[in-house]
Amino acid sequence: MPRDGSELRLDGARAVQRLSDYAVVCGGIDRIRVLGPQAVNLWKLEAQAEAARTHEPLLVQDAQDGSSAPPTQVEEEGSALLKEFSTQWFEQPLDHFANETETWKQRYWVNTRHYVPGPNSPVFVLDGGETCRSLPVKNLTTDSLRFLNNAQSAADSAHFMANVKFAGIDEDLTAPDHPWIYYGGSYAGARAAHMRVLYPELVYGAIASSGVTHASLENWEYMEIIRRAADIKCSGNLQLSIGIIDSMLGNPLTRKSIKALFGVAALEHDEDFASLIESPLGNWQGRNWDPEVGSKGWDEFCAALDGKFKKDPDMDVLAYNDMVTIADELMIPLPVFNYARYIKENLVSRCPGGAVEECFGTWDASKFQDTGLDQEWRLWLFQVCTEWGYFSTAPPKGQPRIVSHLLTLDYESKICQQAYLPGKHFIVPPFPNITAVNALGDFDIEADRLAIIDGEVDPWRPVTPHSDYARDREDTILRPFKIIRGGVHHWDENGRRELMEEPEEIKMIHADIVGFVTQWLESWEAERRVRSP
């Protein structure tokens, strides 16, 4: 950032940020946002594999007296970054809206490399959003999760900003006596925007990157962005494949053959099959301009669809002129065959003993009722079920599609009642109360010194202020409104130490951010001089 000041990274404010491992988060939680109940199955398979390699403890609240247990260092020892940026902890109320409440420890880090004491020193908050390892509860039951909501989360951040004391810094840097700039991406991007609106006296400026400020029950537009933005050949292969797969599922004579081709003949419900084969589409969101940050999963998936015929050792098949015979007088295009091979190699192969119903079935509610602290998928999904929605359904009838028409709202949302049994203090509603989020501004959320930044081909753009459903706005210094051409999900939030290594669009957006934040802070100094002549 352009000014002398301290930078801190919040490890979230009670929300989905209480997850224990980044590798699992990237592969699993992003899927839970998109894939509903099937994503939980995939999360469990990934978590099992991750647990075999490493395990780190969670920090929980002491049940004896309600106080927080002393935090311990859970990060790997020897990390150069952790030696420089030691873990710090801030005590938060469990319930900000009660007179008496238990407390918990929130984790954060402070970077003082560029800090210079002074009355105008800013504080830059980078809200991590979804990567925390501390928990204020002993389990993840419905009652325990009742404090997990947007209002409590924002109140966490506000309480932190107004009361934190930084170790080794004598100066009182709390808001509103110093300018705090709040920066977040995706879910945390929405919170950055909400913080500027809810607590304008504390948040002097905010940057909402890919901020999902519009909550919705159905989010079919997520896949529509991918369909339109993907390479035309890959998108075409997907549309062709899904059309044929849906047709075969709808025919009693071919229904079992198509599922057998994908290695899941024993999977009882066709909706589970449709959701399973949807999962590679989540790789689009993992793309990033920096190969050290992004995933190659999408490119690998598209290449697999377009690959040459490769004989399946488990099936007696023949290929001729880009058509593959998989049964007597039953032929499919090569992309469908390649799709099946990809799913078998990358997903079905993870299923222990080939028990596909156990691995990929979603109709046994007991599979989703473990409330232990290791069931981290319950955190974000709880918010989906109570306030945010975003159930990824098939597009309206007649719309071109790259997902099955079997993905209905009833199917995608049924896990809410399966996983969260009624508690003594809280009951998950039949559908989320999206008004709780949208009342804060929705597509039209705006304020002075609130920057809105989105990626042009971000699958989450339809639920941001840059949605096609939203009004257009003027881009100004006071209210920046910027789109990253060709950008996906909060691409502005990462950079290179050598700035010239960044592509032009990223260099441009980073320069823009430096420019408008600099002017914001100059305004702060001018306002302060007026207040204190």
Side-chain angles (χ1 to χ4, degrees), residues 13-15 18 61 93-98 100-102 104 135-153 156 378-379 381-383 385-387 420-429 436:
R14 97 175 44 236
R18 295 166 180 173
Q61 202 156 26
L94 182 61
D95 184 353
H96 289 274
F97 309 110
E100 296 183 6
T101 183
E102 300 174 5
W104 61 284
L135 281 162
V137 291
K138 297 290 287 185
N139 55 53
L140 301 180
T141 63
T142 303
D143 276 346
S144 292
L145 291 171
R146 70 187 186 276
F147 302 106
L148 181 52
N149 59 57
N150 202 44
Q152 295 281 5
S153 177
D156 280 343
R378 294 180 65 85
L379 298 166
L381 187 62
F382 182 81
Q383 295 202 103
C385 293
T386 54
E387 291 186 332
Y420 303 105
L421 300 180
K424 179 180 178 181
H425 304 288
F426 189 84
I427 296 176
V428 170

Side-chain angles (χ1 to χ4, degrees), residues 242-532:
I242 291 301
I244 290 172
I245 290 168
D246 270 358
S247 177
M248 294 181 70
L249 288 174
N251 185 336
L253 298 178
T254 56
R255 173 177 174 268
K256 192 160 186 178
S257 296
I258 189 62
K259 291 201 285 189
L261 179 66
F262 281 75
V264 291
L267 192 57
E268 181 178 356
H269 295 275
D270 294 348
E271 295 92 337
D272 291 338
F273 171 63
S275 184
L276 176 65
I277 67 173
E278 178 194 24
S279 63
L281 277 62
N283 288 320
W284 177 269
Q285 183 178 325
R287 298 168 62 237
N288 192 274
W289 60 267
D290 187 344
E292 294 184 12
V293 174
S295 165
K296 297 180 180 179
W298 177 261
D299 293 336
E300 292 169 350
F301 174 56
C302 286
L305 293 181
D306 195 41
K308 296 181 179 180
F309 173 76
K310 181 180 178 182
K311 188 171 178 59
D312 189 329
D314 298 327
M315 299 187 71
D316 184 17
V317 297
L318 297 173
Y320 180 75
N321 286 345
D322 291 332
M323 296 294 290
V324 181
T325 302
I326 62 172
D328 291 342
E329 299 183 356
L330 182 57
M331 300 182 72
I332 58 171
L334 181 57
V336 180
F337 181 81
N338 288 338
Y339 199 161
R341 190 175 68 198
Y342 179 92
I343 294 295
K344 285 194 293 187
E345 292 177 354
N346 291 276
L347 295 176
V348 180
S349 62
R350 302 180 188 179
C351 182
V356 296
E357 184 63 30
E358 181 178 342
C359 289
F360 306 120
T362 69
W363 297 82
D364 179 0
S366 65
K367 294 175 60 174
F368 307 117
Q369 293 173 0
D370 184 345
T371 59
L373 295 178
D374 58 335
Q375 301 301 302
E376 295 145 347
W377 59 269
R378 294 180 65 85
L379 298 166
W380 170 252
L381 187 62
F382 182 81
Q383 295 202 103
V384 166
C385 293
T386 54
E387 291 186 332
W388 293 84
Y390 302 138
F391 299 109
S392 183
T393 58
K397 188 175 182 180
Q399 177 82 17
R401 54 191 170 82
I402 55 175
V403 297
S404 172
H405 71 88
L406 295 174
L407 301 178
T408 64
L409 179 60
D410 285 345
Y411 172 75
E412 295 289 352
S413 64
K414 68 183 177 67
I415 192 172
C416 295
Q417 303 305 315
Q418 290 176 308
Y420 303 105
L421 300 180
K424 179 180 178 181
H425 304 288
F426 189 84
I427 296 176
V428 170
F431 288 104
N433 176 23
I434 58 176
T435 301
V437 175
N438 294 336
L440 300 178
D442 206 320
F443 291 128
D444 292 326
I445 193 167
E446 61 182 342
D448 290 349
R449 297 183 302 279
L450 169 57
I452 304 293
I453 302 175
D454 293 300
E456 181 183 26
V457 293
D458 183 354
W460 289 100
R461 184 171 64 81
V463 293
T464 74
H466 275 101
S467 171
D468 292 343
Y469 301 129
R471 63 180 172 85
D472 197 13
R473 308 189 199 180
E474 184 181 2
D475 175 25
T476 68
I477 291 294
L478 197 58
R479 297 187 175 191
F481 191 68
K482 300 183 180 294
I483 197 84
I484 302 175
R485 299 302 170 192
V488 188
H489 205 45
H490 53 92
W491 273 18
D492 53 293
E493 279 207 290
N494 59 286
R496 300 289 295 180
R497 186 177 297 275
E498 297 297 330
L499 300 183
M500 297 308 295
E501 295 178 358
E502 298 177 354
E504 288 303 314
E505 288 290 340
I506 301 304
K507 284 191 286 189
M508 185 181 303
I509 193 63
H510 285 166
D512 286 346
I513 293 172
V514 170
F516 63 68
V517 171
T518 296
Q519 293 200 38
W520 292 354
L521 295 178
E522 288 174 353
S523 295
W524 162 273
E525 293 183 14
E527 293 167 7
R528 184 182 175 278
R529 284 194 296 270
V530 172
R531 293 193 304 268
S532 305

Side-chain angles (χ1 to χ4, degrees), residues 54-288:
T54 181
H55 176 69
E56 294 180 345
L58 292 168
L59 304 175
V60 300
Q61 202 156 26
D62 189 338
Q64 300 301 315
D65 59 5
S67 62
S68 293
T72 59
Q73 184 77 24
V74 297
E75 293 82 7
E76 294 181 4
E77 294 297 326
S79 165
L81 283 176
L82 289 173
K83 286 180 179 178
E84 181 175 0
F85 307 114
S86 60
T87 302
Q88 300 186 42
W89 303 89
F90 178 77
E91 190 165 17
Q92 290 277 16
L94 182 61
D95 184 353
H96 289 274
F97 309 110
N99 292 328
E100 296 183 6
T101 183
E102 300 174 5
T103 61
W104 61 284
K105 299 289 187 180
Q106 180 180 25
R107 185 175 63 160
Y108 68 98
W109 299 265
V110 179
N111 177 357
T112 59
R113 285 176 177 174
H114 306 291
Y115 167 66
V116 176
N120 298 315
S121 295
V123 180
F124 300 99
V125 182
L126 178 60
D127 190 331
E130 302 165 22
T131 57
C132 188
R133 292 174 180 162
S134 56
L135 281 162
V137 291
K138 297 290 287 185
N139 55 53
L140 301 180
T141 63
T142 303
D143 276 346
S144 292
L145 291 171
R146 70 187 186 276
F147 302 106
L148 181 52
N149 59 57
N150 202 44
Q152 295 281 5
S153 177
D156 280 343
S157 292
H159 184 65
F160 180 93
M161 296 171 67
N163 295 281
V164 68
K165 305 297 181 185
F166 297 122
I169 296 178
D170 295 331
E171 185 178 19
D172 183 353
L173 291 175
T174 55
D177 293 331
H178 283 261
W180 283 60
I181 308 297
Y182 204 109
Y183 195 173
S186 191
Y187 166 74
R191 182 155 59 240
H194 293 162
M195 288 299 297
R196 181 70 185 108
V197 170
L198 288 170
Y199 299 98
E201 74 283 3
L202 299 177
V203 179
Y204 187 71
I207 304 171
S209 175
S210 295
V212 288
T213 59
H214 172 72
S216 62
L217 289 181
E218 297 188 64
N219 189 25
W220 66 268
E221 295 92 342
Y222 182 101
M223 295 302 177
E224 177 63 6
I225 287 282
I226 298 173
R227 186 190 71 81
R228 291 186 295 169
D231 172 81
I232 190 170
K233 192 166 191 179
C234 186
S235 182
N237 282 336
L238 276 169
Q239 291 183 69
L240 170 70
S241 297
I242 291 301
I244 290 172
I245 290 168
D246 270 358
S247 177
M248 294 181 70
L249 288 174
N251 185 336
L253 298 178
T254 56
R255 173 177 174 268
K256 192 160 186 178
S257 296
I258 189 62
K259 291 201 285 189
L261 179 66
F262 281 75
V264 291
L267 192 57
E268 181 178 356
H269 295 275
D270 294 348
E271 295 92 337
D272 291 338
F273 171 63
S275 184
L276 176 65
I277 67 173
E278 178 194 24
S279 63
L281 277 62
N283 288 320
W284 177 269
Q285 183 178 325
R287 298 168 62 237
N288 192 274

